Amino acid sequence: MDYVNGPGRNHLFVPGPVNIPESVLRAMNRNNEDYRSPAVPAMTKILLEDVKKIFKTTTGTPFMIPTTGTGAWESALTNTLSPGDRIVSFLIGQFSLLWIDQQQRLNFKVDVVESEWGQGANLDILESKLAEDTAHTIKAICIVHNETATGVTNNLAKVRRILDEYRHPALFLVDGVSSICALDFRMDEWGVDVALTGSQKALSLPTGIGIVCASPKALEASKTAKSVRVFFDWKDYLKFYKLGTYWPYTPSIQLLYGLRTALDLLFEEGLDNVIARHSRLGKATRLAVEAWGLKNCTQSEEWFSDTVTAVLVPPYIESSEIVRRAWKRYNLSLGLGLNKVAGKVFRIGHLGNLNELQLLGCLAGVEMVLRDVGYPVKLGSGVAAASAYFQNNTPLIPSRI
Amino acid sequence: MDYVNGPGRNHLFVPGPVNIPESVLRAMNRNNEDYRSPAVPAMTKILLEDVKKIFKTTTGTPFMIPTTGTGAWESALTNTLSPGDRIVSFLIGQFSLLWIDQQQRLNFKVDVVESEWGQGANLDILESKLAEDTAHTIKAICIVHNETATGVTNNLAKVRRILDEYRHPALFLVDGVSSICALDFRMDEWGVDVALTGSQKALSLPTGIGIVCASPKALEASKTAKSVRVFFDWKDYLKFYKLGTYWPYTPSIQLLYGLRTALDLLFEEGLDNVIARHSRLGKATRLAVEAWGLKNCTQSEEWFSDTVTAVLVPPYIESSEIVRRAWKRYNLSLGLGLNKVAGKVFRIGHLGNLNELQLLGCLAGVEMVLRDVGYPVKLGSGVAAASAYFQNNTPLIPSRI
Amino acid sequence: MDYVNGPGRNHLFVPGPVNIPESVLRAMNRNNEDYRSPAVPAMTKILLEDVKKIFKTTTGTPFMIPTTGTGAWESALTNTLSPGDRIVSFLIGQFSLLWIDQQQRLNFKVDVVESEWGQGANLDILESKLAEDTAHTIKAICIVHNETATGVTNNLAKVRRILDEYRHPALFLVDGVSSICALDFRMDEWGVDVALTGSQKALSLPTGIGIVCASPKALEASKTAKSVRVFFDWKDYLKFYKLGTYWPYTPSIQLLYGLRTALDLLFEEGLDNVIARHSRLGKATRLAVEAWGLKNCTQSEEWFSDTVTAVLVPPYIESSEIVRRAWKRYNLSLGLGLNKVAGKVFRIGHLGNLNELQLLGCLAGVEMVLRDVGYPVKLGSGVAAASAYFQNNTPLIPSRI
Amino acid sequence: MDYVNGPGRNHLFVPGPVNIPESVLRAMNRNNEDYRSPAVPAMTKILLEDVKKIFKTTTGTPFMIPTTGTGAWESALTNTLSPGDRIVSFLIGQFSLLWIDQQQRLNFKVDVVESEWGQGANLDILESKLAEDTAHTIKAICIVHNETATGVTNNLAKVRRILDEYRHPALFLVDGVSSICALDFRMDEWGVDVALTGSQKALSLPTGIGIVCASPKALEASKTAKSVRVFFDWKDYLKFYKLGTYWPYTPSIQLLYGLRTALDLLFEEGLDNVIARHSRLGKATRLAVEAWGLKNCTQSEEWFSDTVTAVLVPPYIESSEIVRRAWKRYNLSLGLGLNKVAGKVFRIGHLGNLNELQLLGCLAGVEMVLRDVGYPVKLGSGVAAASAYFQNNTPLIPSRI
């Protein structure tokens, strides 16, 4: 059943799906249940309350939809917008590109604001667009918080500041797929109208739940949005929320219990500690890249991502060869470069339930692979840089003090 | 974590989600994997071939979409039809009703052909509609093979005969959610254009894969269908099929391995033996209902369902009280009556990886509950009728002969 | 990997190993751990406290030995007795016979008190032996609480009364393998000196822990007992208990977590409720046997066992054929007749994490098998008798009220 | 339930219990089964054949006893020797010491041949003892293949050569607990009479099976050996082997399936490749230790162990502080120094289902801990040395080529 077994563990460092903690695997190891019994709604009710915490919202309404991030995108858009609506969307890498593709296919009029891949969203252009748009023809701003393809984190607080400055009523829709539960994200404080993530990212679950959280303003918009939708329609959920049965169609029982445990782990560690841990992992990875003499695909510190690092390889190396070899020789799974940066970058995902030594094992592996493909890295150099940082900054595990 | 533990096993007899075999739970008990490594596409390729067998098709193209049955419906419709298209759809219970609701919200012009709940699709009306429709304004016939709310199985072969008789080119779209892998279903032979099921039904998996299978004619239709779709768009899948990477977005690794094992179990037992087993379970359930002096919601033998039996209760009993009490006292999960038959029927799901003694335990439980709620059933009567049938008809387990 | 798969669940009704609750399987689904870290001793300390509760002792000292019931027997004997010691032991079935065989091979002088299989221990003979033994040459009384081969439960309270009456200082050693956590067992009240059980019985775990509990008097005896022992020596455990590291050699991490959950389940249900549930299951089984017109191997009500029922079959039937057929046709696992009762009885184990409907499924299966082998049982008769009893006596599941 | 959770995986580098592969966890994730049904004996029969391969024997008879290594020792001794028998046993560390303690408590006359801890068995003394023993009063030579406390591997081939040279008939008993399935071990070629291991070591299972393999000569000896034994008696196994039911008492169903998968993994990788992998892991660890400027507890290359490395720490450091801190800060589990080397060494276990990057993560962790406790290691130095070796010597994973 394991098509391509290797001895020891697979070292999973793609930026999703990510490593699942053993306690989450345990929680999901169960038979199906009647989702219409009193038990599942009781659990769902609490889950919906708790899930708001990962968005840092008290006023939002979450939807846990049996779908992927792509479906969550569709749910965010179709519930709040009508065909022909004008939206501003930032193209900074493969995932923002795919979202824009979806926006266009859903018949929105998209002002695409493109940056060089490796740069963040061009907020100056946003500013000028909003300044011009006194008629409020722009209905929504769509932005990925963290572009998984390039390891670029956008400044959402600044987006909000710009919107506020121009008192622009556009909805603020955020793809938080590779950020929420890992990066600092504040739905209420930043006035985000729809935020979304997928279970297989920093929540460290299997794929299968697209979590979409809607602000009161977004919910209000959904009442008049004319985009055609059924499966992704919030209305059906809201109807069942009111009934107290919560599910318009069958949820995955296993994922609900898995989510319960995933949230327990996050809250036990403390969401701020989780974010601090990701900050350590990101910083250490970047120090290693620097020690290797390689460049981060992300062009400026302001956009550095603490969940994924895209590493530029020298022109004489094909980055996919690194990924292939890492898997074939060291049981290490790295992320490929996608689209414009295909062949040029490989990616290290450092998000989810992950600790320092796991990352150091990965970095040691990358060093060996780099030598395998002809890049004269000094073995141990990246590990040394990363572990120097860790040794100074890693706290004791609180439960073990 | 188990909100409402009871000693011993839960007896799960809702018509979905159904019991998961231990070997499937084992297969899914695993960490995530990089779905872009060579391993996952290799497995997917074989799965796509094998999954055709459960539809009995060699010419169909399957899509394993991370969604539920509701999403599978939407995929079937939006890929083959355009807004405003006229379709004929049969309303015979809650699930056909929900599908029709979806069809209408997706802006098709639906000729709703309604039957009394407990009866099958009125194919005489279909015939007259096709006879009249010489201009071929009807673009599709939508029908549930097995209405889960009433336990009614429609005659799909007859639908095909009628279509053929009138040489009508309408697409033939079938909801096989509670039939495929349990009832006799023949996609190619019956000229079905789109058939679909959900993983949590007779496949005996968790919720999370909507499997949609398209005939060549349906694929052809998808090239011109104008319904807006992105997440559910077959085109994205077909693109990745060609690339050999198979997945436009992240699949559930766990469900892929689970599906692999579920199919292995089905093929090991033999699909025809699986269907025969469901036939035994259905027949035995109906014999028990008769022995109890109760009526089957299904009004005529021609529509009897071998996957779910809706049992009518006497007017002085509220059927939801039966369901509630079964769960509270005997750890038995039965299906509620829905919508028009709410309070009037309870449902016994007898589909998926289930055997004779499991069903007899359920029937014994139903007998006790019936007495609990004041119906003077003779204890043991249903079990006796069912086990007499089983004792005459159950083959030895082939692997143990 | 499943050598002989059948559809649906295996119905496991041997009197051990018994059904494991899903939550226990979950708890054991984990990697190994360093048993010398602070975590495992911390858990062990609490387990040792909690495990006393299943023996109903506050003064006893428990040992959780990585072994089976046979090893637990050996530990009980070798730690308290010296070669040549005279002991009184009751032979009433295959397991008491095996224990006696062990006692003899360990070089004790065994007064074997034999009863007809199907009867309990002959306590009159015990009384006369104690009366005669004014010199206190008898060092221990060895008795199985529940003889698993015949379904006979001995009266331990009476043994204590006899010992007390004659003020006899003999140690009181009890095999509680198929009783503890299922039948009423009171170590302190009954002055039991060593009691033991195995994890795969009413604790509903896998095989692998022999739990032996020693009274202060037994511990005292262990200081002078001259039987050779190393692996089973309590002294090594006591040394590590003092050190606070608890384990003289590597325990099964998985079983420790499993035991934790198993105890949680027992305490959550309430030990008295667990015993009451077994009483229901036992009574219902006996009612079914009666309804079938068959005889219980146990000859008198005073010895009826609530954990296992051995059913006598008519002389023209070979009982092993029943067991074979149950497994081959209905995926039902029954217990064989052993030794003197081989071919004459089959056994229904009704202990551990089991509920009413599971047992009714088993009883329905037995009825069909009985017909298969030519016994003209009235189908449904046993189920009717059992379910009449259940319907009158089963409480609501407390957590669901 | 996890008393002391930390984010990410625990890095388990104690020399047992070791990491369990996910596929083995999967295989064990199952309910109990009737071990007297045809299925379990059928599986056992094949397991007994396959288990011989890990001992490299075709003539040996294996026993899979539900116990630990300590119990396996006892089984090896009591089945082949009689009280008062003279044996030669080598004391080179804590585990050989414990075995000798057992030998003495079992009343054998033990010639203890002691070496300094860090040295191998003194085979010169063996030679002189055998030379003197023309009367063949020495009944057995007992030796640990690999002393887990010090990381010392003894030369078993040489023991055999010495025995042969003196044509001495003494039995040759080998503790292979931390060697078999990891180091080169050849039961038949080396004329080993009893070899044993535990499931939680290189087999990478949970604790619970002590596997003892007896040569024909050992089996013959067991017929006259007078040591008292019951639970550990081979005779009971042999009786059930003949009957084809295999088990004198209840085995752990879960461990049998786990063992099946563990063996499958070993055979799939190839036993020689497994040994080569351990050789790489051992060599790399030693290179790291050297790079750190620390000493291996093992005093000479001839005894270097490829399964465990005991690292001597400078006198100003207490090694248990390293172990404590590794666990508390980095979720890294290292082995403590035991007895004579307590406080002086910490141990890195590198056996079982483990790969290069896992070890490199561990080594990086050790480096940080060393700095934490005040040893001025150059961060990255050990990782660099180890990974240079790996990068030159690690083959591609065969299934992925």
Side-chain angles (χ1 to χ4, degrees), chain C residues 18-79:
Chain C
V18 306
N19 293 287
I20 305 174
E22 241 195 15
S23 54
V24 170
L25 288 179
R26 275 196 290 281
M28 294 191 305
N29 181 36
R30 62 174 64 233
N31 195 14
N32 281 326
E33 271 183 48
D34 177 18
Y35 73 100
R36 286 178 164 129
S37 88
V40 175
M43 174 167 60
T44 304
K45 188 180 176 181
I46 300 171
L47 280 175
L48 286 170
E49 275 313 304
D50 280 350
V51 106
K52 289 194 221 170
K53 298 175 189 167
I54 64 172
F55 290 93
K56 292 212 173 133
T57 182
T58 58
T59 61
T61 299
F63 305 97
M64 306 185 294
I65 307 172
T67 187
T68 67
T70 304
W73 280 345
E74 189 158 331
S75 183
L77 297 168
T78 58
N79 279 283

Side-chain angles (χ1 to χ4, degrees), chain A residues 39-355:
Chain A
V40 175
M43 173 166 62
T44 304
K45 188 180 178 182
I46 300 172
L47 280 174
L48 286 170
E49 274 315 302
D50 280 350
V51 106
K52 289 194 220 169
K53 298 174 188 167
I54 65 173
F55 290 93
K56 292 210 173 138
T57 183
T58 58
T59 60
T61 300
F63 305 97
M64 306 186 295
I65 306 172
T67 187
T68 69
T70 304
W73 281 345
E74 190 159 329
S75 182
L77 297 168
T78 57
N79 279 285
T80 54
L81 298 166
S82 300
D85 274 356
R86 181 184 175 201
I87 63 181
V88 177
S89 207
F90 299 91
L91 197 177
I92 66 168
Q94 178 65 8
F95 292 93
S96 39
L97 181 149
L98 287 171
W99 198 17
I100 288 167
D101 173 64
Q102 184 185 73
Q103 291 154 11
Q104 292 170 331
R105 287 161 70 184
L106 292 171
N107 296 323
F108 308 122
K109 264 177 43 194
V110 189
D111 289 17
V112 177
V113 182
E114 191 162 1
S115 301
E116 201 181 327
W117 289 30
Q119 296 188 350
N122 189 328
L123 300 185
D124 294 341
I125 295 186
L126 174 65
E127 189 153 6
S128 64
K129 280 183 183 286
L130 293 181
E132 283 168 18
D133 185 38
T134 51
H136 296 168
T137 62
I138 297 170
K139 297 303 177 200
I141 312 299
C142 295
I143 189 165
V144 295
H145 188 192
N146 186 76
E147 170 55 62
T148 315
T150 56
V152 161
T153 304
N154 283 313
N155 187 338
L156 300 184
K158 194 168 170 191
V159 173
R160 169 47 55 199
R161 278 199 304 276
I162 297 170
L163 279 162
D164 285 353
E165 194 179 337
Y166 293 94
R167 305 196 176 194
H168 198 288
L171 291 166
F172 183 11
L173 310 189
V174 176
D175 164 346
V177 167
S178 60
S179 78
I180 286 165
C181 293
L183 305 183
D184 187 21
F185 181 83
R186 311 177 185 202
M187 183 159 178
D188 283 1
E189 187 179 329
W190 296 340
V192 172
D193 289 305
V194 187
L196 60 93
T197 189
S199 52
Q200 81 278 18
K201 297 286 184 172
L203 270 167
S204 302
L205 287 164
T207 304
I209 314 183
I211 309 183
V212 180
C213 197
S215 73
K217 185 172 154 191
L219 274 195
E220 196 55 37
S222 76
K223 293 178 186 164
T224 53
K226 291 191 175 53
S227 292
V228 168
R229 60 196 183 273
V230 182
F231 181 75
F232 291 119
D233 201 335
W234 298 345
K235 181 161 46 71
D236 298 86
Y237 281 86
L238 293 170
K239 179 180 147 198
F240 283 87
Y241 287 5
K242 249 186 210 150
L243 292 173
T245 52
Y246 290 102
W247 295 104
Y249 30 74
T250 321
S252 163
I253 297 298
Q254 292 72 22
L255 283 172
L256 292 185
Y257 282 96
L259 178 59
R260 178 65 273 157
T261 299
L263 293 172
D264 288 345
L265 287 175
L266 288 169
F267 300 154
E268 190 187 321
E269 186 178 356
L271 205 49
D272 289 343
N273 293 330
V274 170
I275 290 164
R277 177 166 52 79
H278 281 89
S279 159
R280 280 198 305 282
L281 296 170
K283 176 75 176 169
T285 305
R286 292 188 293 272
L287 287 167
V289 172
E290 206 181 301
W292 298 334
L294 292 176
K295 289 258 172 276
N296 196 320
C297 175
T298 310
Q299 296 178 11
S300 159
E301 192 172 338
E302 61 175 308
W303 300 310
F304 280 161
S305 164
D306 286 335
T307 57
V308 58
T309 300
V311 184
L312 283 162
V313 298
Y316 58 89
I317 291 170
E318 161 63 42
S319 69
S320 63
E321 181 55 24
I322 290 174
V323 174
R324 199 175 304 123
R325 198 160 177 87
W327 189 71
K328 286 195 171 186
R329 195 177 190 204
Y330 304 107
N331 211 349
L332 170 63
S333 295
L334 298 169
L336 288 161
L338 300 173
N339 201 330
K340 279 199 186 178
V341 292
K344 298 180 185 164
V345 311
F346 68 91
R347 291 176 297 151
I348 300 171
H350 31 78
L351 73 165
N353 195 274
L354 198 70
N355 60 30

